[in-house]
mmCIF file with all atom_site columns, all heavy atoms in Angstrom:
data_model
loop_
_atom_site.group_PDB
_atom_site.id
_atom_site.type_symbol
_atom_site.label_atom_id
_atom_site.label_alt_id
_atom_site.label_comp_id
_atom_site.label_asym_id
_atom_site.label_entity_id
_atom_site.label_seq_id
_atom_site.pdbx_PDB_ins_code
_atom_site.Cartn_x
_atom_site.Cartn_y
_atom_site.Cartn_z
_atom_site.occupancy
_atom_site.B_iso_or_equiv
_atom_site.pdbx_formal_charge
_atom_site.auth_seq_id
_atom_site.auth_comp_id
_atom_site.auth_asym_id
_atom_site.auth_atom_id
_atom_site.pdbx_PDB_model_num
ATOM 1  N N   . ILE B 1 81 ? -0.695  -22.291 -5.040 1.00 0.00 ? 83 ILE B N   1
ATOM 2  C CA  . ILE B 1 81 ? -2.131  -22.258 -5.317 1.00 0.00 ? 83 ILE B CA  1
ATOM 3  C C   . ILE B 1 81 ? -2.758  -23.632 -5.059 1.00 0.00 ? 83 ILE B C   1
ATOM 4  O O   . ILE B 1 81 ? -3.845  -23.735 -4.488 1.00 0.00 ? 83 ILE B O   1
ATOM 5  C CB  . ILE B 1 81 ? -2.389  -21.782 -6.748 1.00 0.00 ? 83 ILE B CB  1
ATOM 6  C CG1 . ILE B 1 81 ? -1.920  -20.344 -6.871 1.00 0.00 ? 83 ILE B CG1 1
ATOM 7  C CG2 . ILE B 1 81 ? -3.859  -21.883 -7.104 1.00 0.00 ? 83 ILE B CG2 1
ATOM 8  C CD1 . ILE B 1 81 ? -2.074  -19.767 -8.226 1.00 0.00 ? 83 ILE B CD1 1
ATOM 9  N N   . ILE B 1 82 ? -2.059  -24.684 -5.463 1.00 0.00 ? 84 ILE B N   1
ATOM 10 C CA  . ILE B 1 82 ? -2.617  -26.027 -5.276 1.00 0.00 ? 84 ILE B CA  1
ATOM 11 C C   . ILE B 1 82 ? -2.806  -26.327 -3.783 1.00 0.00 ? 84 ILE B C   1
ATOM 12 O O   . ILE B 1 82 ? -3.865  -26.786 -3.351 1.00 0.00 ? 84 ILE B O   1
ATOM 13 C CB  . ILE B 1 82 ? -1.691  -27.085 -5.910 1.00 0.00 ? 84 ILE B CB  1
ATOM 14 C CG1 . ILE B 1 82 ? -1.743  -26.975 -7.425 1.00 0.00 ? 84 ILE B CG1 1
ATOM 15 C CG2 . ILE B 1 82 ? -2.075  -28.487 -5.469 1.00 0.00 ? 84 ILE B CG2 1
ATOM 16 C CD1 . ILE B 1 82 ? -0.665  -27.761 -8.132 1.00 0.00 ? 84 ILE B CD1 1
ATOM 17 N N   . PHE B 1 83 ? -1.781  -26.038 -2.974 1.00 0.00 ? 85 PHE B N   1
ATOM 18 C CA  . PHE B 1 83 ? -1.879  -26.329 -1.540 1.00 0.00 ? 85 PHE B CA  1
ATOM 19 C C   . PHE B 1 83 ? -3.000  -25.524 -0.911 1.00 0.00 ? 85 PHE B C   1
ATOM 20 O O   . PHE B 1 83 ? -3.799  -26.048 -0.127 1.00 0.00 ? 85 PHE B O   1
ATOM 21 C CB  . PHE B 1 83 ? -0.550  -26.023 -0.834 1.00 0.00 ? 85 PHE B CB  1
ATOM 22 C CG  . PHE B 1 83 ? 0.589   -26.914 -1.271 1.00 0.00 ? 85 PHE B CG  1
ATOM 23 C CD1 . PHE B 1 83 ? 1.893   -26.640 -0.881 1.00 0.00 ? 85 PHE B CD1 1
ATOM 24 C CD2 . PHE B 1 83 ? 0.371   -28.028 -2.075 1.00 0.00 ? 85 PHE B CD2 1
ATOM 25 C CE1 . PHE B 1 83 ? 2.942   -27.450 -1.281 1.00 0.00 ? 85 PHE B CE1 1
ATOM 26 C CE2 . PHE B 1 83 ? 1.419   -28.838 -2.489 1.00 0.00 ? 85 PHE B CE2 1
ATOM 27 C CZ  . PHE B 1 83 ? 2.707   -28.549 -2.085 1.00 0.00 ? 85 PHE B CZ  1
ATOM 28 N N   . ALA B 1 84 ? -3.071  -24.246 -1.283 1.00 0.00 ? 86 ALA B N   1
ATOM 29 C CA  . ALA B 1 84 ? -4.115  -23.405 -0.701 1.00 0.00 ? 86 ALA B CA  1
ATOM 30 C C   . ALA B 1 84 ? -5.494  -23.929 -1.099 1.00 0.00 ? 86 ALA B C   1
ATOM 31 O O   . ALA B 1 84 ? -6.408  -24.007 -0.268 1.00 0.00 ? 86 ALA B O   1
ATOM 32 C CB  . ALA B 1 84 ? -3.941  -21.966 -1.157 1.00 0.00 ? 86 ALA B CB  1
ATOM 33 N N   . ALA B 1 85 ? -5.640  -24.308 -2.383 1.00 0.00 ? 87 ALA B N   1
ATOM 34 C CA  . ALA B 1 85 ? -6.940  -24.811 -2.850 1.00 0.00 ? 87 ALA B CA  1
ATOM 35 C C   . ALA B 1 85 ? -7.310  -26.094 -2.110 1.00 0.00 ? 87 ALA B C   1
ATOM 36 O O   . ALA B 1 85 ? -8.487  -26.309 -1.764 1.00 0.00 ? 87 ALA B O   1
ATOM 37 C CB  . ALA B 1 85 ? -6.905  -25.049 -4.355 1.00 0.00 ? 87 ALA B CB  1
ATOM 38 N N   . ALA B 1 86 ? -6.313  -26.940 -1.849 1.00 0.00 ? 88 ALA B N   1
ATOM 39 C CA  . ALA B 1 86 ? -6.599  -28.196 -1.148 1.00 0.00 ? 88 ALA B CA  1
ATOM 40 C C   . ALA B 1 86 ? -7.024  -27.935 0.292  1.00 0.00 ? 88 ALA B C   1
ATOM 41 O O   . ALA B 1 86 ? -7.955  -28.578 0.804  1.00 0.00 ? 88 ALA B O   1
ATOM 42 C CB  . ALA B 1 86 ? -5.373  -29.101 -1.193 1.00 0.00 ? 88 ALA B CB  1
ATOM 43 N N   . VAL B 1 87 ? -6.366  -26.977 0.931  1.00 0.00 ? 89 VAL B N   1
ATOM 44 C CA  . VAL B 1 87 ? -6.746  -26.625 2.306  1.00 0.00 ? 89 VAL B CA  1
ATOM 45 C C   . VAL B 1 87 ? -8.205  -26.197 2.331  1.00 0.00 ? 89 VAL B C   1
ATOM 46 O O   . VAL B 1 87 ? -9.006  -26.674 3.156  1.00 0.00 ? 89 VAL B O   1
ATOM 47 C CB  . VAL B 1 87 ? -5.840  -25.497 2.848  1.00 0.00 ? 89 VAL B CB  1
ATOM 48 C CG1 . VAL B 1 87 ? -6.415  -24.935 4.138  1.00 0.00 ? 89 VAL B CG1 1
ATOM 49 C CG2 . VAL B 1 87 ? -4.434  -26.005 3.073  1.00 0.00 ? 89 VAL B CG2 1
ATOM 50 N N   . VAL B 1 88 ? -8.560  -25.310 1.418  1.00 0.00 ? 90 VAL B N   1
ATOM 51 C CA  . VAL B 1 88 ? -9.939  -24.821 1.387  1.00 0.00 ? 90 VAL B CA  1
ATOM 52 C C   . VAL B 1 88 ? -10.900 -25.969 1.109  1.00 0.00 ? 90 VAL B C   1
ATOM 53 O O   . VAL B 1 88 ? -11.967 -26.072 1.722  1.00 0.00 ? 90 VAL B O   1
ATOM 54 C CB  . VAL B 1 88 ? -10.087 -23.714 0.328  1.00 0.00 ? 90 VAL B CB  1
ATOM 55 C CG1 . VAL B 1 88 ? -11.520 -23.221 0.271  1.00 0.00 ? 90 VAL B CG1 1
ATOM 56 C CG2 . VAL B 1 88 ? -9.153  -22.561 0.649  1.00 0.00 ? 90 VAL B CG2 1
ATOM 57 N N   . ALA B 1 89 ? -10.498 -26.871 0.197  1.00 0.00 ? 91 ALA B N   1
ATOM 58 C CA  . ALA B 1 89 ? -11.385 -27.985 -0.146 1.00 0.00 ? 91 ALA B CA  1
ATOM 59 C C   . ALA B 1 89 ? -11.654 -28.860 1.070  1.00 0.00 ? 91 ALA B C   1
ATOM 60 O O   . ALA B 1 89 ? -12.788 -29.281 1.300  1.00 0.00 ? 91 ALA B O   1
ATOM 61 C CB  . ALA B 1 89 ? -10.778 -28.810 -1.277 1.00 0.00 ? 91 ALA B CB  1
ATOM 62 N N   . ILE B 1 90 ? -10.615 -29.132 1.862  1.00 0.00 ? 92 ILE B N   1
ATOM 63 C CA  . ILE B 1 90 ? -10.826 -29.969 3.056  1.00 0.00 ? 92 ILE B CA  1
ATOM 64 C C   . ILE B 1 90 ? -11.738 -29.256 4.053  1.00 0.00 ? 92 ILE B C   1
ATOM 65 O O   . ILE B 1 90 ? -12.674 -29.846 4.600  1.00 0.00 ? 92 ILE B O   1
ATOM 66 C CB  . ILE B 1 90 ? -9.490  -30.326 3.714  1.00 0.00 ? 92 ILE B CB  1
ATOM 67 C CG1 . ILE B 1 90 ? -8.674  -31.209 2.770  1.00 0.00 ? 92 ILE B CG1 1
ATOM 68 C CG2 . ILE B 1 90 ? -9.719  -31.063 5.042  1.00 0.00 ? 92 ILE B CG2 1
ATOM 69 C CD1 . ILE B 1 90 ? -7.318  -31.584 3.312  1.00 0.00 ? 92 ILE B CD1 1
ATOM 70 N N   . LEU B 1 91 ? -11.471 -27.964 4.255  1.00 0.00 ? 93 LEU B N   1
ATOM 71 C CA  . LEU B 1 91 ? -12.294 -27.232 5.212  1.00 0.00 ? 93 LEU B CA  1
ATOM 72 C C   . LEU B 1 91 ? -13.749 -27.186 4.759  1.00 0.00 ? 93 LEU B C   1
ATOM 73 O O   . LEU B 1 91 ? -14.671 -27.250 5.573  1.00 0.00 ? 93 LEU B O   1
ATOM 74 C CB  . LEU B 1 91 ? -11.748 -25.815 5.390  1.00 0.00 ? 93 LEU B CB  1
ATOM 75 C CG  . LEU B 1 91 ? -10.406 -25.727 6.117  1.00 0.00 ? 93 LEU B CG  1
ATOM 76 C CD1 . LEU B 1 91 ? -9.910  -24.296 6.141  1.00 0.00 ? 93 LEU B CD1 1
ATOM 77 C CD2 . LEU B 1 91 ? -10.546 -26.251 7.541  1.00 0.00 ? 93 LEU B CD2 1
ATOM 78 N N   . MET B 1 92 ? -13.940 -27.070 3.446  1.00 0.00 ? 94 MET B N   1
ATOM 79 C CA  . MET B 1 92 ? -15.307 -26.991 2.936  1.00 0.00 ? 94 MET B CA  1
ATOM 80 C C   . MET B 1 92 ? -16.037 -28.319 3.065  1.00 0.00 ? 94 MET B C   1
ATOM 81 O O   . MET B 1 92 ? -17.262 -28.352 3.121  1.00 0.00 ? 94 MET B O   1
ATOM 82 C CB  . MET B 1 92 ? -15.310 -26.534 1.471  1.00 0.00 ? 94 MET B CB  1
ATOM 83 C CG  . MET B 1 92 ? -15.056 -25.060 1.339  1.00 0.00 ? 94 MET B CG  1
ATOM 84 S SD  . MET B 1 92 ? -15.145 -24.341 -0.310 1.00 0.00 ? 94 MET B SD  1
ATOM 85 C CE  . MET B 1 92 ? -15.532 -25.631 -1.382 1.00 0.00 ? 94 MET B CE  1
ATOM 86 N N   . SER B 1 93 ? -15.292 -29.430 3.085  1.00 0.00 ? 95 SER B N   1
ATOM 87 C CA  . SER B 1 93 ? -15.947 -30.744 3.161  1.00 0.00 ? 95 SER B CA  1
ATOM 88 C C   . SER B 1 93 ? -16.405 -31.067 4.564  1.00 0.00 ? 95 SER B C   1
ATOM 89 O O   . SER B 1 93 ? -17.211 -31.979 4.753  1.00 0.00 ? 95 SER B O   1
ATOM 90 C CB  . SER B 1 93 ? -14.975 -31.845 2.737  1.00 0.00 ? 95 SER B CB  1
ATOM 91 O OG  . SER B 1 93 ? -14.139 -31.404 1.730  1.00 0.00 ? 95 SER B OG  1
ATOM 92 N N   . ASP B 1 94 ? -15.857 -30.383 5.528  1.00 0.00 ? 96 ASP B N   1
ATOM 93 C CA  . ASP B 1 94 ? -16.004 -30.757 6.921  1.00 0.00 ? 96 ASP B CA  1
ATOM 94 C C   . ASP B 1 94 ? -17.439 -31.066 7.313  1.00 0.00 ? 96 ASP B C   1
ATOM 95 O O   . ASP B 1 94 ? -17.783 -32.166 7.735  1.00 0.00 ? 96 ASP B O   1
ATOM 96 C CB  . ASP B 1 94 ? -15.443 -29.622 7.781  1.00 0.00 ? 96 ASP B CB  1
ATOM 97 C CG  . ASP B 1 94 ? -15.227 -30.084 9.191  1.00 0.00 ? 96 ASP B CG  1
ATOM 98 O OD1 . ASP B 1 94 ? -14.770 -31.228 9.343  1.00 0.00 ? 96 ASP B OD1 1
ATOM 99 O OD2 . ASP B 1 94 ? -15.544 -29.337 10.116 1.00 0.00 ? 96 ASP B OD2 1
#
Side-chain angles (χ1 to χ4, degrees):
Chain B
I83 295 178
I84 290 168
F85 295 170
V89 168
V90 179
I92 295 178
L93 290 176
M94 284 184 0
S95 325
D96 195 40

